[in-house]
Amino acid sequence: MTNNHYHYLAFGADAIERQRANGSYVAYGTHLERPDDGPDELGTRELRMIADATQFCLGTVTPTGWPYLQYRSGPAGFVRHIGDNTLRFIDLPGNNQFVTLGNLTADDRLAMFFVDYPRKQRLKVFGRGSVYDGERREIEVRVEAFDWNCSRSIIPRYDQQYLTDLGKAYQEKAAAREAELTAEIEALRARIAELEAARQ
């Protein structure tokens, strides 16, 4: 059974009414007909997506109630799973407006939006963030809920590393197939030689 905590966090009364009117209530709204299951536990699929991510969008809430989005990027693994249901990432210096940090001080709720363009997958994460100032500032996220989003509208994009890895995998497969065919040819040549020797 699907954990329903995400539904409790995301669906308000108006969303539920629209689901009823558009026929999607059975797929979504019915999850609210039982008590809240509590926080989602990150699984292997989610952790792999997060570990492979080189970018994501980070949403926080301003003191005036407005959503605020920022883009974060880094090498694969820059968002780290540090155990339990907790993630951490380095908060690199930007334009020094400190809007995200200020928002988290007033309201620790945040959202992370990950997209894997080649595989057309996207993951939404709700959590509570804490700012750790030190030699390098970091943001720690205690994950509350997540949802795998529809992949229909994602346009695939391929970065240089993905193409390099794909090319390497293709070359390795081609080399293995070439070795296999070479071995078959040598075996056939040996068999032909045996047959010719038997006829003499």
Side-chain angles (χ1 to χ4, degrees), residues 100-196:
T100 293
L101 302 184
N103 289 347
L104 291 175
T105 299
D107 185 335
D108 65 356
R109 291 175 299 168
L110 58 74
M112 304 168 80
F113 191 75
F114 297 89
V115 182
D116 182 335
Y117 289 100
R119 297 176 183 84
K120 296 184 66 176
Q121 297 178 342
R122 50 186 178 178
L123 175 67
K124 293 182 292 189
V125 176
F126 285 163
R128 295 188 177 273
S130 302
V131 179
Y132 288 84
D133 286 302
E135 191 172 315
R136 55 182 194 177
R137 184 170 60 236
E138 296 190 308
I139 294 178
E140 184 172 292
V141 180
R142 298 181 310 285
V143 175
E144 283 277 332
F146 58 81
D147 183 56
W148 287 91
N149 224 202
C150 175
S151 63
R152 182 174 47 201
S153 61
I154 298 175
I155 299 172
R157 297 176 184 172
Y158 307 97
D159 61 19
Q160 186 60 51
Q161 186 60 51
Y162 181 86
L163 294 174
T164 298
D165 292 344
L166 194 64
K168 183 179 178 182
Y170 177 79
Q171 290 171 352
E172 289 173 352
K173 187 174 181 181
R177 181 60 178 154
E178 182 182 359
E180 182 183 320
L181 291 173
T182 299
E184 288 181 14
I185 291 170
E186 292 303 318
L188 289 171
R189 283 177 176 166
R191 181 60 180 153
I192 290 169
E194 288 176 7
L195 293 172
E196 288 178 346

Side-chain angles (χ1 to χ4, degrees), residues 68-82:
Y68 182 76
L69 287 177
Q70 281 201 318
Y71 173 80
R72 291 288 192 270
S73 63
F78 83 104
V79 181
R80 313 182 316 277
H81 175 231
I82 62 172

Side-chain angles (χ1 to χ4, degrees), residues 15-134:
I16 292 296
E17 284 308 308
R18 286 183 178 271
Q19 290 173 17
R20 289 185 191 279
N22 287 277
S24 59
Y25 178 79
V26 172
Y28 303 113
T30 53
H31 291 287
L32 301 181
E33 293 177 1
R34 67 178 198 272
D36 190 337
D37 294 328
D40 285 322
E41 292 294 326
L42 292 169
T44 303
R45 184 185 180 201
E46 291 76 36
L47 292 176
R48 184 182 301 118
M49 172 80 160
I50 292 167
D52 289 346
T54 57
Q55 59 186 321
F56 71 93
C57 288
L58 176 66
T60 54
V61 183
T62 70
T64 53
W66 286 90
Y68 182 76
L69 287 177
Q70 281 201 318
Y71 173 80
R72 291 288 192 270
S73 63
F78 83 104
V79 181
R80 313 182 316 277
H81 175 231
I82 62 172
D84 296 326
N85 234 30
T86 307
L87 307 172
R88 261 202 188 204
F89 61 91
I90 297 173
D91 184 51
L92 297 174
N95 56 17
N96 292 325
Q97 289 184 351
F98 302 112
V99 178
T100 293
L101 302 184
N103 289 347
L104 291 175
T105 299
D107 185 335
D108 65 356
R109 291 175 299 168
L110 58 74
M112 304 168 80
F113 191 75
F114 297 89
V115 182
D116 182 335
Y117 289 100
R119 297 176 183 84
K120 296 184 66 176
Q121 297 178 342
R122 50 186 178 178
L123 175 67
K124 293 182 292 189
V125 176
F126 285 163
R128 295 188 177 273
S130 302
V131 179
Y132 288 84
D133 286 302

